[in-house]
Amino acid sequence: MRKWQRAGAAREARAVQDQRARRDALHLLADGLCAVCRERDDAARRWLGSFTNESNADPGVRARVRAAGGFCPAHTRRLLEDTAATWLLPRVHAEALAGCRALLAAGGGEAALGPCPACEAGDAAEERALEGVLRGLGEPEVRDSVRGGAVCLPHTAALAGRSAPQDGAALVEAASARLAGETGTGTAWLAGPDADVPVRARHQQGLEALLAAEESAQRVAVAERWEADVRRACCPLCLAGHRAARRLLRWAATTTGAGHPTREETALCPRHLHDLDSVGGPKVPALLADNAEAWRDRLARFSRQAATGRAGWRAAAERLPAEGRCRACEEERTASGRQAALLVAALSDPVRVRAYERAHGICLRHALAWDGPLPEPVAGVLAARLAWLEWEVTEALRKQDWHTRHEAKGAEMAVGRRAPTLLDGRVYAGLPAPLGSRGGHGGGVDEDVDAAMDEDVHDAMDAIDGDMDGDTDDSSDGDGEETARRPRWSSARST
C-alpha cells in the first residue's frame, strides 16, 4: 500500500474511533446525573446479584470474599436489605470470619484486608466510564454535556485532572461557575449520587435517641457512661465514632446565632454531605453552600498551579481529586480512639473487667485496626464471641439443609442479621442489630439494663427495627415457627 493510501486509511480509522467515542460518551451521559456514579453503582449491583444467584459457590469468588473479610458496610447493608439473599448471609459471614480470624492470628492489620469484591467491580466500571467520557471529551456535544452538569463534581474534577490542559481548564471553569450558582449546591451534584443513603439514614436515626439521652445526662460520671456503652449489644468503639459524627452533623445543621460552626469546621466528604442532608435543619443549605465554596477554592488553586506549565499541571492534576478534609470523619476517628483509650483505662479496674467479660466487646474490624497487641480481657472476650459466632454460623448453614427440616430452628437462624455487630460494627451505624435478629454471641449483660435505659431510646429502636424487619424474618423456620428463647445477655433491648 502506498504511503498516501496508508495515511488515508489511518485518518479513516481515527474518524471511526472518534465517532465511536462520541457515541459511547453520549450514551453514558444520556440518563441523568451522574453517568460515572451510575455505571459504578450498576456494576456493583450486578455483581451482588450474580453473587446471590450464582457465583457464591465459586471457589475463586469465595476466596476473594474471605480475603476481603466480607463486604464493605454499604454492600453488606445491600445484602441485608435483599430478601433473596437472606439464606446466603451465614455463608458470607463464615468467609468473613475465616479471613479476619486468620489475619488476626497472623498479626496482620486492617490494611492487609483485600478490597470489597462488589466495590472492586464498581471501581472497574467507574474507571471505564471515566475513560469513555474522556475519549469523547473532544466532541462539542460531550464537552457541553459534562460542563452542563451531567457528571457530578467529584468526577468532573477527576476528568479535569486527566484531560489535556485546555479541556481540563474549561471543565474547571464551568464547574466553578456552576458552584457560584444555586444549582452548584445540590447534594447530588456536589457529592455525587449515593445509593446507600436511605438505608444508612434509617440506621443512623437510632443515634438521635442516644444523643437526646446523652444531653439529659451530661452530669453522669464517665464510668457510668462507659458502663452504659459496653452493656449495649454492639461494638463500643463503632458506637462512639458514629455517635460523635451524628452529634457534629446535628449541631452544624441546627445551631444558629453565637457559636455557630465556621466553614472550616464543616468541611465534609461526600458520604457525610449526604448524611447531613438526611439530618436536616435550618443551616443545611448554608453548610452545602460553604462546602461548594470550599470546592471553588480547590478549583482555583488547581487553575493557578496548572497555569505554571506542564509540570505544574501534572502536580495539580494529581492533587485535585484527593485534596480536601472531612470534619465528620475526623470526629469519628477521634471518638473511637478516645473510647479505645478509655477502655484500656477502665480495664485496670477488676470490677469493670468483669463487666466487660459479660459484654458484647469490640468488633473484629477494630481488633484488626488496634495499635499493637490486643490487651486482656479484650482479646479473650473477642475470641470467645467469635468462637460462639462461628458455631452459630455453622449451625445455621447446617440447618439450611433439606435433611434437617425436622429440627427446631433457634436463634442461630437469625445470625445472618446479627453477625455484623461483631464483624464490622459500622454496618448498623455503630448500633445493635435489629431486635428481631438479636440473640447469641455467648456473652451476658445485666438483666436490669432494660429498666435502666431511657424510654425514648426504646421507642426509637422499636421504630427502626420495625422498618428493617419488613415482611420477612429469618429468625423463624419455613412454617413460621417462633425462634427459641434467646440467651439472657442478648434479650436486653439496647441501643
Side-chain angles (χ1 to χ4, degrees):
M1 183 182 292
R2 295 175 181 173
K3 185 176 181 180
W4 65 269
Q5 289 176 314
R6 288 197 299 271
R11 282 194 299 272
E12 288 180 9
R14 281 196 299 273
V16 170
Q17 289 174 352
D18 290 345
Q19 189 65 22
R20 183 181 298 121
R22 173 183 172 276
R23 185 181 64 248
D24 292 346
L26 288 175
H27 177 73
L28 277 173
L29 298 169
D31 295 329
L33 185 75
C34 156
V36 181
C37 291
R38 186 175 61 253
E39 288 293 302
R40 177 199 63 206
D41 294 343
D42 284 351
R45 178 180 49 77
R46 287 194 301 271
W47 194 96
L48 284 174
S50 173
F51 177 75
T52 299
N53 296 312
E54 184 177 358
S55 67
N56 59 80
D58 183 272
V61 173
R62 293 175 65 178
R64 289 172 61 195
V65 174
R66 190 181 314 122
F71 294 96
C72 68
H75 289 126
T76 300
R77 284 189 286 266
R78 187 166 295 184
L79 283 174
L80 287 164
E81 290 288 301
D82 184 0
T83 55
T86 299
W87 68 274
L88 187 59
L89 292 173
R91 182 176 294 182
V92 171
H93 298 327
E95 298 295 349
L97 193 56
C100 288
R101 290 181 81 183
L103 189 59
L104 191 63
E110 187 182 19
L113 289 171
C116 164
C119 285
E120 207 170 21
D123 291 344
E126 179 182 41
E127 183 65 24
R128 290 192 298 271
L130 281 171
E131 288 299 322
V133 175
L134 199 60
R135 284 194 299 271
L137 207 55
E139 299 294 326
E141 291 174 271
V142 176
R143 189 164 54 246
D144 290 345
S145 184
V146 174
R147 291 174 66 180
V151 175
C152 69
L153 179 57
H155 283 129
T156 299
L159 287 169
R162 297 182 183 199
S163 304
Q166 184 177 356
D167 290 335
L171 290 179
V172 166
E173 182 182 356
S176 298
R178 186 179 178 85
L179 285 166
E182 292 183 5
T183 56
T185 58
T187 310
W189 185 74
L190 197 60
D194 185 344
D196 187 46
V197 168
V199 182
R200 194 167 71 236
R202 198 167 68 221
H203 290 306
Q204 291 171 345
Q205 190 59 37
L207 295 167
E208 290 295 327
L210 282 182
L211 294 178
E214 181 182 72
E215 289 171 2
S216 65
Q218 290 186 27
R219 298 182 184 276
V220 173
V222 172
E224 291 183 37
R225 294 203 303 269
W226 178 84
E227 288 168 358
D229 280 351
V230 298
R231 283 201 304 264
R232 296 184 172 108
C234 57
C235 170
L237 308 189
C238 288
L239 174 62
H242 283 81
R243 182 171 55 198
R246 184 74 176 193
R247 185 190 303 115
L248 171 80
L249 294 178
R250 192 174 72 165
W251 169 72
T254 59
T255 301
T256 57
H260 67 85
T262 63
R263 197 180 90 179
E264 291 72 22
E265 292 179 301
T266 54
L268 299 173
C269 65
R271 173 170 66 92
H272 281 118
L273 277 174
H274 281 289
D275 290 346
L276 173 71
D277 219 11
S278 298
V279 170
K283 295 291 290 181
V284 169
L287 296 173
L288 293 175
D290 285 345
N291 277 270
E293 188 63 27
W295 260 106
R296 287 186 70 193
D297 292 344
R298 287 171 63 179
L299 295 177
R301 287 194 297 272
F302 170 83
S303 296
R304 287 194 298 270
Q305 187 172 2
T308 61
R310 185 169 294 276
W313 175 268
R314 284 198 297 268
E318 290 174 2
R319 188 177 299 112
L320 179 59
E323 192 178 340
R325 59 185 286 262
C326 176
R327 176 70 190 281
C329 287
E330 293 169 2
E331 287 285 308
E332 283 184 355
R333 289 190 294 268
T334 300
S336 294
R338 295 304 299 156
Q339 186 82 324
L342 180 58
L343 173 60
V344 172
L347 294 181
S348 61
D349 180 349
V351 174
R352 293 190 171 85
V353 167
R354 289 194 294 273
Y356 188 82
E357 287 173 342
R358 293 172 60 80
H360 177 283
I362 68 170
C363 68
L364 190 47
R365 183 187 72 87
H366 268 115
L368 289 171
W370 196 276
D371 187 12
L374 282 174
E376 287 296 346
V378 176
V381 168
L382 180 65
R385 302 293 176 267
L386 293 178
W388 192 280
L389 177 62
E390 183 179 34
W391 184 90
E392 286 196 289
V393 166
T394 305
E395 185 71 356
L397 288 171
R398 187 185 72 83
K399 288 186 176 180
Q400 286 181 355
D401 191 275
W402 173 254
H403 299 294
T404 64
R405 64 189 184 279
H406 63 285
E407 297 186 26
K409 304 297 191 294
E412 69 277 1
M413 302 309 292
V415 71
R417 296 189 179 279
R418 191 175 63 252
T421 64
L422 197 54
L423 296 174
D424 188 343
R426 297 174 298 177
V427 171
Y428 292 128
L431 293 167
L435 283 178
S437 58
R438 293 185 204 165
H441 294 348
V445 296
D446 299 335
E447 289 194 17
D448 62 351
V449 170
D450 255 353
M453 292 181 63
D454 189 277
E455 193 64 32
D456 290 341
V457 178
H458 285 282
D459 293 342
M461 289 306 297
D462 283 345
I464 294 167
D465 293 332
D467 285 343
M468 288 198 56
D469 289 344
D471 297 326
T472 61
D473 184 356
D474 61 348
S475 62
S476 62
D477 65 13
D479 298 324
E481 179 181 332
E482 292 281 327
T483 59
R485 186 177 184 274
R486 298 186 185 90
R488 180 168 63 88
W489 86 279
S490 58
S491 64
R493 298 172 55 178
S494 59
T495 59

